[in-house]
PDB file of all heavy atoms in Angstrom:
ATOM      1  N   ILE A 879      -4.812 -86.972 -52.953  1.00 85.00           N
ATOM      2  CA  ILE A 879      -3.504 -86.806 -53.613  1.00 85.00           C
ATOM      3  C   ILE A 879      -3.588 -87.369 -55.027  1.00 85.00           C
ATOM      4  O   ILE A 879      -4.061 -88.482 -55.246  1.00 85.00           O
ATOM      5  CB  ILE A 879      -2.391 -87.497 -52.799  1.00 85.00           C
ATOM      6  CG1 ILE A 879      -2.249 -86.810 -51.432  1.00 85.00           C
ATOM      7  CG2 ILE A 879      -1.063 -87.466 -53.554  1.00 85.00           C
ATOM      8  CD1 ILE A 879      -1.293 -87.500 -50.489  1.00 85.00           C
ATOM      9  N   GLY A 880      -3.128 -86.605 -55.994  1.00 84.00           N
ATOM     10  CA  GLY A 880      -3.234 -87.011 -57.393  1.00 84.00           C
ATOM     11  C   GLY A 880      -2.276 -88.109 -57.800  1.00 84.00           C
ATOM     12  O   GLY A 880      -2.496 -88.795 -58.807  1.00 84.00           O
ATOM     13  N   ASP A 881      -1.190 -88.283 -57.061  1.00 88.00           N
ATOM     14  CA  ASP A 881      -0.227 -89.337 -57.380  1.00 88.00           C
ATOM     15  C   ASP A 881      -0.691 -90.657 -56.778  1.00 88.00           C
ATOM     16  O   ASP A 881      -1.148 -90.692 -55.628  1.00 88.00           O
ATOM     17  CB  ASP A 881       1.155 -88.988 -56.832  1.00 88.00           C
ATOM     18  CG  ASP A 881       1.762 -87.781 -57.532  1.00 88.00           C
ATOM     19  OD1 ASP A 881       1.433 -87.568 -58.720  1.00 88.00           O
ATOM     20  OD2 ASP A 881       2.562 -87.068 -56.906  1.00 88.00           O
ATOM     21  N   PRO A 882      -0.569 -91.763 -57.526  1.00 89.00           N
ATOM     22  CA  PRO A 882      -0.912 -93.073 -56.972  1.00 89.00           C
ATOM     23  C   PRO A 882      -0.063 -93.398 -55.740  1.00 89.00           C
ATOM     24  O   PRO A 882       1.155 -93.200 -55.743  1.00 89.00           O
ATOM     25  CB  PRO A 882      -0.617 -94.037 -58.120  1.00 89.00           C
ATOM     26  CG  PRO A 882      -0.745 -93.204 -59.349  1.00 89.00           C
ATOM     27  CD  PRO A 882      -0.233 -91.857 -58.964  1.00 89.00           C
ATOM     28  N   ILE A 883      -0.703 -93.903 -54.677  1.00 90.00           N
ATOM     29  CA  ILE A 883      -0.025 -94.265 -53.433  1.00 90.00           C
ATOM     30  C   ILE A 883      -0.429 -95.683 -53.052  1.00 90.00           C
ATOM     31  O   ILE A 883      -1.586 -96.083 -53.220  1.00 90.00           O
ATOM     32  CB  ILE A 883      -0.390 -93.290 -52.296  1.00 90.00           C
ATOM     33  CG1 ILE A 883       0.097 -91.875 -52.644  1.00 90.00           C
ATOM     34  CG2 ILE A 883       0.200 -93.737 -50.953  1.00 90.00           C
ATOM     35  CD1 ILE A 883      -0.333 -90.824 -51.637  1.00 90.00           C
ATOM     36  N   PHE A 884       0.530 -96.431 -52.522  1.00 90.00           N
ATOM     37  CA  PHE A 884       0.237 -97.790 -52.067  1.00 90.00           C
ATOM     38  C   PHE A 884       1.059 -98.099 -50.827  1.00 90.00           C
ATOM     39  O   PHE A 884       2.103 -97.471 -50.569  1.00 90.00           O
ATOM     40  CB  PHE A 884       0.529 -98.820 -53.169  1.00 90.00           C
ATOM     41  CG  PHE A 884       1.971 -98.843 -53.611  1.00 90.00           C
ATOM     42  CD1 PHE A 884       2.930 -99.582 -52.923  1.00 90.00           C
ATOM     43  CD2 PHE A 884       2.374 -98.123 -54.733  1.00 90.00           C
ATOM     44  CE1 PHE A 884       4.244 -99.607 -53.326  1.00 90.00           C
ATOM     45  CE2 PHE A 884       3.694 -98.131 -55.138  1.00 90.00           C
ATOM     46  CZ  PHE A 884       4.636 -98.878 -54.429  1.00 90.00           C
ATOM     47  N   VAL A 885       0.573 -99.082 -50.040  1.00 90.00           N
ATOM     48  CA  VAL A 885       1.320 -99.630 -48.915  1.00 90.00           C
ATOM     49  C   VAL A 885       1.327-101.144 -49.091  1.00 90.00           C
ATOM     50  O   VAL A 885       0.283-101.749 -49.368  1.00 90.00           O
ATOM     51  CB  VAL A 885       0.681 -99.252 -47.566  1.00 90.00           C
ATOM     52  CG1 VAL A 885       1.463 -99.904 -46.417  1.00 90.00           C
ATOM     53  CG2 VAL A 885       0.654 -97.732 -47.391  1.00 90.00           C
ATOM     54  N   LYS A 886       2.514-101.757 -48.953  1.00 90.00           N
ATOM     55  CA  LYS A 886       2.650-103.201 -49.151  1.00 90.00           C
ATOM     56  C   LYS A 886       3.163-103.849 -47.879  1.00 90.00           C
ATOM     57  O   LYS A 886       3.961-103.265 -47.129  1.00 90.00           O
ATOM     58  CB  LYS A 886       3.611-103.501 -50.299  1.00 90.00           C
ATOM     59  CG  LYS A 886       3.086-103.074 -51.669  1.00 90.00           C
ATOM     60  CD  LYS A 886       4.017-103.533 -52.784  1.00 90.00           C
ATOM     61  CE  LYS A 886       3.451-103.174 -54.162  1.00 90.00           C
ATOM     62  NZ  LYS A 886       4.308-103.676 -55.243  1.00 90.00           N
ATOM     63  N   ASP A 887       2.716-105.117 -47.675  1.00 88.00           N
ATOM     64  CA  ASP A 887       3.208-105.865 -46.519  1.00 88.00           C
ATOM     65  C   ASP A 887       4.491-106.606 -46.902  1.00 88.00           C
ATOM     66  O   ASP A 887       5.035-106.425 -47.998  1.00 88.00           O
ATOM     67  CB  ASP A 887       2.141-106.836 -46.008  1.00 88.00           C
ATOM     68  CG  ASP A 887       1.735-107.857 -47.068  1.00 88.00           C
ATOM     69  OD1 ASP A 887       2.474-108.028 -48.068  1.00 88.00           O
ATOM     70  OD2 ASP A 887       0.670-108.486 -46.903  1.00 88.00           O
ATOM     71  N   HIS A 888       4.956-107.467 -45.984  1.00 85.00           N
ATOM     72  CA  HIS A 888       6.225-108.164 -46.197  1.00 85.00           C
ATOM     73  C   HIS A 888       6.160-109.137 -47.368  1.00 85.00           C
ATOM     74  O   HIS A 888       7.196-109.507 -47.946  1.00 85.00           O
ATOM     75  CB  HIS A 888       6.646-108.898 -44.913  1.00 85.00           C
ATOM     76  CG  HIS A 888       8.110-109.193 -44.876  1.00 85.00           C
ATOM     77  ND1 HIS A 888       8.663-110.289 -45.483  1.00 85.00           N
ATOM     78  CD2 HIS A 888       9.136-108.495 -44.302  1.00 85.00           C
ATOM     79  CE1 HIS A 888       9.967-110.279 -45.294  1.00 85.00           C
ATOM     80  NE2 HIS A 888      10.286-109.196 -44.571  1.00 85.00           N
ATOM     81  N   GLN A 889       4.963-109.565 -47.739  1.00 87.00           N
ATOM     82  CA  GLN A 889       4.807-110.456 -48.895  1.00 87.00           C
ATOM     83  C   GLN A 889       4.605-109.663 -50.187  1.00 87.00           C
ATOM     84  O   GLN A 889       4.251-110.233 -51.221  1.00 87.00           O
ATOM     85  CB  GLN A 889       3.604-111.389 -48.684  1.00 87.00           C
ATOM     86  CG  GLN A 889       3.870-112.554 -47.749  1.00 87.00           C
ATOM     87  CD  GLN A 889       3.934-112.103 -46.299  1.00 87.00           C
ATOM     88  OE1 GLN A 889       3.120-111.282 -45.857  1.00 87.00           O
ATOM     89  NE2 GLN A 889       4.903-112.631 -45.557  1.00 87.00           N
ATOM     90  N   LEU A 890       4.848-108.353 -50.110  1.00 88.00           N
ATOM     91  CA  LEU A 890       4.761-107.450 -51.256  1.00 88.00           C
ATOM     92  C   LEU A 890       3.343-107.374 -51.821  1.00 88.00           C
ATOM     93  O   LEU A 890       3.142-107.112 -53.004  1.00 88.00           O
ATOM     94  CB  LEU A 890       5.755-107.853 -52.366  1.00 88.00           C
ATOM     95  CG  LEU A 890       7.216-108.013 -51.928  1.00 88.00           C
ATOM     96  CD1 LEU A 890       8.095-108.382 -53.115  1.00 88.00           C
ATOM     97  CD2 LEU A 890       7.727-106.730 -51.275  1.00 88.00           C
ATOM     98  N   ARG A 891       2.346-107.582 -50.943  1.00 90.00           N
ATOM     99  CA  ARG A 891       0.947-107.451 -51.328  1.00 90.00           C
ATOM    100  C   ARG A 891       0.421-106.086 -50.896  1.00 90.00           C
ATOM    101  O   ARG A 891       0.805-105.568 -49.845  1.00 90.00           O
ATOM    102  CB  ARG A 891       0.097-108.557 -50.684  1.00 90.00           C
ATOM    103  CG  ARG A 891       0.433-109.967 -51.164  1.00 90.00           C
ATOM    104  CD  ARG A 891      -0.613-110.955 -50.630  1.00 90.00           C
ATOM    105  NE  ARG A 891      -0.625-110.964 -49.175  1.00 90.00           N
ATOM    106  CZ  ARG A 891      -0.026-111.886 -48.420  1.00 90.00           C
ATOM    107  NH1 ARG A 891       0.634-112.876 -49.003  1.00 90.00           N
ATOM    108  NH2 ARG A 891      -0.093-111.825 -47.110  1.00 90.00           N
ATOM    109  N   ASN A 892      -0.479-105.530 -51.700  1.00 89.00           N
ATOM    110  CA  ASN A 892      -1.071-104.227 -51.374  1.00 89.00           C
ATOM    111  C   ASN A 892      -1.990-104.371 -50.163  1.00 89.00           C
ATOM    112  O   ASN A 892      -2.861-105.237 -50.135  1.00 89.00           O
ATOM    113  CB  ASN A 892      -1.884-103.693 -52.555  1.00 89.00           C
ATOM    114  CG  ASN A 892      -1.013-103.298 -53.737  1.00 89.00           C
ATOM    115  OD1 ASN A 892       0.075-102.765 -53.558  1.00 89.00           O
ATOM    116  ND2 ASN A 892      -1.481-103.562 -54.943  1.00 89.00           N
ATOM    117  N   VAL A 893      -1.779-103.503 -49.172  1.00 87.00           N
ATOM    118  CA  VAL A 893      -2.684-103.458 -48.023  1.00 87.00           C
ATOM    119  C   VAL A 893      -3.412-102.119 -47.971  1.00 87.00           C
ATOM    120  O   VAL A 893      -4.378-101.977 -47.225  1.00 87.00           O
ATOM    121  CB  VAL A 893      -1.919-103.702 -46.706  1.00 87.00           C
ATOM    122  CG1 VAL A 893      -1.338-105.109 -46.678  1.00 87.00           C
ATOM    123  CG2 VAL A 893      -0.818-102.654 -46.500  1.00 87.00           C
ATOM    124  N   LEU A 894      -2.973-101.159 -48.792  1.00 88.00           N
ATOM    125  CA  LEU A 894      -3.649 -99.860 -48.868  1.00 88.00           C
ATOM    126  C   LEU A 894      -3.345 -99.253 -50.229  1.00 88.00           C
ATOM    127  O   LEU A 894      -2.200 -99.276 -50.693  1.00 88.00           O
ATOM    128  CB  LEU A 894      -3.173 -98.930 -47.751  1.00 88.00           C
ATOM    129  CG  LEU A 894      -3.880 -97.564 -47.638  1.00 88.00           C
ATOM    130  CD1 LEU A 894      -3.972 -97.128 -46.180  1.00 88.00           C
ATOM    131  CD2 LEU A 894      -3.163 -96.492 -48.455  1.00 88.00           C
ATOM    132  N   VAL A 895      -4.376 -98.715 -50.864  1.00 89.00           N
ATOM    133  CA  VAL A 895      -4.204 -98.009 -52.146  1.00 89.00           C
ATOM    134  C   VAL A 895      -5.116 -96.793 -52.129  1.00 89.00           C
ATOM    135  O   VAL A 895      -6.122 -96.765 -51.426  1.00 89.00           O
ATOM    136  CB  VAL A 895      -4.560 -98.909 -53.352  1.00 89.00           C
ATOM    137  CG1 VAL A 895      -3.598-100.078 -53.468  1.00 89.00           C
ATOM    138  CG2 VAL A 895      -6.001 -99.419 -53.252  1.00 89.00           C
ATOM    139  N   ASN A 896      -4.769 -95.768 -52.905  1.00 90.00           N
ATOM    140  CA  ASN A 896      -5.648 -94.587 -52.981  1.00 90.00           C
ATOM    141  C   ASN A 896      -6.389 -94.576 -54.315  1.00 90.00           C
ATOM    142  O   ASN A 896      -6.184 -95.426 -55.193  1.00 90.00           O
ATOM    143  CB  ASN A 896      -4.843 -93.304 -52.764  1.00 90.00           C
ATOM    144  CG  ASN A 896      -3.896 -93.000 -53.923  1.00 90.00           C
ATOM    145  OD1 ASN A 896      -3.600 -93.871 -54.721  1.00 90.00           O
ATOM    146  ND2 ASN A 896      -3.425 -91.762 -53.988  1.00 90.00           N
ATOM    147  N   LYS A 897      -7.272 -93.588 -54.445  1.00 89.00           N
ATOM    148  CA  LYS A 897      -8.109 -93.515 -55.637  1.00 89.00           C
ATOM    149  C   LYS A 897      -7.283 -93.326 -56.901  1.00 89.00           C
ATOM    150  O   LYS A 897      -7.634 -93.838 -57.967  1.00 89.00           O
ATOM    151  CB  LYS A 897      -9.111 -92.356 -55.497  1.00 89.00           C
ATOM    152  CG  LYS A 897     -10.246 -92.627 -54.531  1.00 89.00           C
ATOM    153  CD  LYS A 897     -11.213 -91.453 -54.515  1.00 89.00           C
ATOM    154  CE  LYS A 897     -12.390 -91.727 -53.575  1.00 89.00           C
ATOM    155  NZ  LYS A 897     -13.343 -90.584 -53.546  1.00 89.00           N
ATOM    156  N   ALA A 898      -6.195 -92.578 -56.797  1.00 88.00           N
ATOM    157  CA  ALA A 898      -5.371 -92.308 -57.979  1.00 88.00           C
ATOM    158  C   ALA A 898      -4.797 -93.605 -58.544  1.00 88.00           C
ATOM    159  O   ALA A 898      -4.720 -93.785 -59.761  1.00 88.00           O
ATOM    160  CB  ALA A 898      -4.251 -91.339 -57.616  1.00 88.00           C
ATOM    161  N   LEU A 899      -4.403 -94.536 -57.653  1.00 86.00           N
ATOM    162  CA  LEU A 899      -3.869 -95.818 -58.130  1.00 86.00           C
ATOM    163  C   LEU A 899      -4.986 -96.645 -58.778  1.00 86.00           C
ATOM    164  O   LEU A 899      -4.752 -97.310 -59.798  1.00 86.00           O
ATOM    165  CB  LEU A 899      -3.232 -96.588 -56.974  1.00 86.00           C
ATOM    166  CG  LEU A 899      -2.528 -97.893 -57.378  1.00 86.00           C
ATOM    167  CD1 LEU A 899      -1.376 -97.609 -58.336  1.00 86.00           C
ATOM    168  CD2 LEU A 899      -2.000 -98.631 -56.148  1.00 86.00           C
ATOM    169  N   CYS A 900      -6.179 -96.587 -58.205  1.00 87.00           N
ATOM    170  CA  CYS A 900      -7.315 -97.297 -58.802  1.00 87.00           C
ATOM    171  C   CYS A 900      -7.613 -96.765 -60.201  1.00 87.00           C
ATOM    172  O   CYS A 900      -7.828 -97.524 -61.144  1.00 87.00           O
ATOM    173  CB  CYS A 900      -8.552 -97.163 -57.918  1.00 87.00           C
ATOM    174  SG  CYS A 900      -8.387 -97.931 -56.290  1.00 87.00           S
ATOM    175  N   ALA A 901      -7.598 -95.430 -60.323  1.00 85.00           N
ATOM    176  CA  ALA A 901      -7.880 -94.820 -61.621  1.00 85.00           C
ATOM    177  C   ALA A 901      -6.788 -95.159 -62.636  1.00 85.00           C
ATOM    178  O   ALA A 901      -7.073 -95.420 -63.810  1.00 85.00           O
ATOM    179  CB  ALA A 901      -8.010 -93.304 -61.463  1.00 85.00           C
ATOM    180  N   TRP A 902      -5.546 -95.176 -62.173  1.00 82.00           N
ATOM    181  CA  TRP A 902      -4.422 -95.420 -63.092  1.00 82.00           C
ATOM    182  C   TRP A 902      -4.431 -96.851 -63.606  1.00 82.00           C
ATOM    183  O   TRP A 902      -4.130 -97.101 -64.767  1.00 82.00           O
ATOM    184  CB  TRP A 902      -3.105 -95.115 -62.373  1.00 82.00           C
ATOM    185  CG  TRP A 902      -1.957 -94.879 -63.316  1.00 82.00           C
ATOM    186  CD1 TRP A 902      -1.679 -93.737 -64.003  1.00 82.00           C
ATOM    187  CD2 TRP A 902      -0.963 -95.826 -63.681  1.00 82.00           C
ATOM    188  NE1 TRP A 902      -0.562 -93.905 -64.771  1.00 82.00           N
ATOM    189  CE2 TRP A 902      -0.090 -95.181 -64.596  1.00 82.00           C
ATOM    190  CE3 TRP A 902      -0.705 -97.153 -63.322  1.00 82.00           C
ATOM    191  CZ2 TRP A 902       1.008 -95.813 -65.156  1.00 82.00           C
ATOM    192  CZ3 TRP A 902       0.392 -97.783 -63.890  1.00 82.00           C
ATOM    193  CH2 TRP A 902       1.244 -97.122 -64.794  1.00 82.00           C
ATOM    194  N   THR A 903      -4.784 -97.800 -62.722  1.00 82.00           N
ATOM    195  CA  THR A 903      -4.796 -99.215 -63.129  1.00 82.00           C
ATOM    196  C   THR A 903      -6.131 -99.625 -63.742  1.00 82.00           C
ATOM    197  O   THR A 903      -6.226-100.688 -64.369  1.00 82.00           O
ATOM    198  CB  THR A 903      -4.506-100.115 -61.916  1.00 82.00           C
ATOM    199  OG1 THR A 903      -5.496 -99.868 -60.901  1.00 82.00           O
ATOM    200  CG2 THR A 903      -3.120 -99.853 -61.363  1.00 82.00           C
ATOM    201  N   GLY A 904      -7.193 -98.784 -63.541  1.00 84.00           N
ATOM    202  CA  GLY A 904      -8.512 -99.143 -64.053  1.00 84.00           C
ATOM    203  C   GLY A 904      -9.180-100.248 -63.243  1.00 84.00           C
ATOM    204  O   GLY A 904     -10.051-100.963 -63.764  1.00 84.00           O
TER     205      GLY A 904
END
């Protein structure tokens, strides 16, 4: 998926990210 995707836990920490988010943040 070309759009950045993330999943966060209750502490608002990333527990899953896709390649698009990695590319966008560098």
